[in-house]
Amino acid sequence: MKRVFLLLAVLALLHTALWGLSKEDVTIPTSDGRSILGTVYKPEITKNKSPVVIIAPGSGYHRGLPLVAGFGQRCAEEGLIAVTFDWHYFTEKGKISEGWIREKEDIASAVAYARSLKEADKEALVLVGKSFGSVIAWHYFREDNTLKALVLLTPVIPDDDYEAKLYPGLGEEKRPVVMGLGASDKDNGPLEQIYRTLDRCEQKIPVFILPGDHGMNVGAWDDSQYKGINEYNNQLTVDIALHWIKVLLGLY
């Protein structure tokens, strides 16, 4: 009987290796001579070129946190490639650069790296940005018209002035844009303001709203009584955003 259980365990491990996904930490060069740290998630077996999702973290986020890492893993599980990365200042323990010059270069380098992958479908690149990452992602998205779609997770739009400053031209964008919001994110994305912003957009932007604040948490992230629902909120954020990505890419 022990031999049977051992055989089943070995077969399970082989199945994971053959049908699982790959995760590789990489160093991504930038055009100004620096480099940023990233992680690439790939489906283990692909018959065709795969769409690629590039995920830009928030200002205090990094690629190892559950939302970003979970997003990357779920993409690979669904047959997509994901490229996550850390902002240069996070790795260097520095500050955001003046005018976001280096951050814009960071995201441009991550996209260029994604486009260079031999398994990548270069006609199906999607950009995702969380909070501050959504700001930089939006500015890059406007410049690179080859990107298919953009997902703005908890965008920073507390009022009309911030909308105009951080997301200029949002109302005129013709390519697909999706937003994910926390219902109680009153400081950065109060729903009444978000609705005003959406009402001005020429092309209607799909929005999904979950319980929680700017971090999609219903309570302090380190409070054990909220741990389960906070984790579930993170999972739902990833699953719904990925669902929209697949819809927009026509993958169903």
Side-chain angles (χ1 to χ4, degrees):
M1 184 63 70
K2 289 182 179 179
R3 290 180 180 178
V4 172
F5 282 126
L6 179 60
L7 177 60
L8 290 174
V10 171
L11 289 174
L13 289 173
L14 286 173
H15 181 272
T16 300
L18 291 173
W19 301 102
L21 52 90
S22 68
K23 173 185 173 185
E24 180 185 5
D25 292 328
V26 296
T27 299
I28 300 172
T30 61
S31 65
D32 57 4
R34 298 176 296 110
S35 63
I36 56 174
L37 301 179
T39 301
V40 181
Y41 299 81
K42 298 177 183 177
E44 196 67 36
I45 298 176
T46 56
K47 294 180 180 179
N48 303 304
K49 300 286 187 180
S50 298
V52 186
V53 179
I54 303 99
I55 306 166
S59 60
Y61 275 61
H62 59 82
R63 71 190 194 280
L65 287 180
L67 182 63
V68 180
F71 210 140
Q73 180 171 319
R74 285 291 293 124
C75 284
E77 289 171 355
E78 293 294 318
L80 285 72
I81 297 170
V83 175
T84 65
F85 66 93
D86 291 338
W87 302 111
H88 73 99
Y89 68 82
F90 180 87
T91 303
E92 297 170 2
K93 297 180 172 56
K95 296 181 179 180
I96 296 172
S97 63
E98 186 71 27
W100 313 320
I101 298 300
R102 286 191 171 183
E103 291 72 30
K104 291 178 180 178
E105 178 57 34
D106 290 351
I107 203 167
S109 300
V111 173
Y113 180 85
R115 194 174 273 124
S116 73
L117 296 172
K118 68 179 188 303
E119 307 95 337
D121 180 350
K122 298 174 178 56
E123 305 300 317
L125 269 62
V126 177
L127 197 53
V128 176
K130 170 73 173 76
S131 186
F132 171 72
S134 77
V135 177
I136 306 303
W138 169 252
H139 283 260
Y140 182 78
F141 186 71
R142 294 185 75 201
E143 297 174 4
D144 187 345
N145 59 15
T146 67
L147 294 173
K148 287 297 183 182
L150 172 68
V151 179
L152 303 174
L153 296 178
T154 62
V156 185
I157 310 179
D159 54 43
D160 290 349
D161 290 340
Y162 267 82
E163 176 199 326
K165 177 182 177 181
L166 301 185
Y167 306 90
L170 180 61
E172 293 79 44
E173 180 57 49
K174 299 296 191 298
R175 284 173 295 167
V177 177
V178 176
M179 284 188 187
L181 309 171
S184 57
D185 187 9
K186 296 181 179 179
D187 292 333
N188 296 283
L191 296 184
E192 60 271 19
Q193 173 60 44
I194 298 294
Y195 292 149
R196 281 198 298 272
T197 294
L198 296 175
D199 190 53
R200 289 192 290 265
C201 293
E202 294 180 11
Q203 177 167 288
K204 296 308 177 185
I205 296 177
V207 175
F208 63 91
I209 303 172
L210 294 173
D213 56 17
H214 195 63
M216 294 296 192
N217 297 311
V218 298
W221 65 270
D222 56 351
D223 189 328
S224 60
Q225 70 174 315
Y226 299 114
K227 184 175 186 295
I229 190 170
N230 287 342
E231 290 177 349
Y232 189 50
N233 259 10
N234 269 267
Q235 179 186 324
L236 282 176
T237 300
V238 169
D239 286 344
I240 297 172
L242 183 54
H243 165 68
W244 269 109
I245 289 171
K246 293 175 70 177
V247 167
L248 297 175
L249 292 177
L251 297 179
Y252 284 111

